[in-house]
Amino acid sequence: MTPETKTVTIDTEYIKLDSLLKFSGLCQTGGEAKTAVMTGRVKVNGVTCMMRGKKLRPGDWAELGEAKVTVAGR
C-alpha cells in the first residue's frame, strides 16, 4: 500500500500545524490533532514537531504515520 499524500493550498502567509492536520483530513478533530502533535507523532519537514501552533508556509510538509500533506500557495 502506498503512503497517502495530499496538498493543501492556502491563501494566507501560513497555516498552523494543528489546523493543517484538521483541514487536510489527517485528523478528524482539533483535539485529535493536538494529541497527535503533543505525543510526538507528527513530523514537519522530516523533523518531529511538538508545537501545534508551528507555522507552515508554502513548500513545508507534515507527516502523520504514512500520510503526508504538503502546503502550497496560490
Side-chain angles (χ1 to χ4, degrees):
M1 189 172 185
T2 59
E4 177 184 3
T5 302
K6 296 182 178 190
T7 300
V8 170
T9 303
I10 60 172
D11 292 323
T12 56
E13 180 184 346
Y14 63 86
I15 185 170
K16 291 184 179 181
L17 178 57
D18 58 350
S19 297
L20 176 68
L21 295 174
K22 185 177 174 189
F23 184 72
S24 67
L26 296 184
C27 293
Q28 298 301 311
T29 66
E32 183 182 338
K34 176 183 175 181
T35 300
V37 173
M38 299 305 288
T39 57
R41 295 179 13 228
V42 178
K43 290 185 178 182
V44 173
N45 299 328
V47 179
T48 300
C49 181
M50 296 178 73
M51 298 184 314
R52 68 179 203 206
K54 173 84 172 154
K55 296 176 182 178
L56 282 80
R57 292 174 168 78
D60 289 335
W61 50 274
E63 289 179 294
L64 176 59
E66 293 291 317
K68 179 178 179 180
V69 61
T70 59
V71 180
R74 292 208 187 261

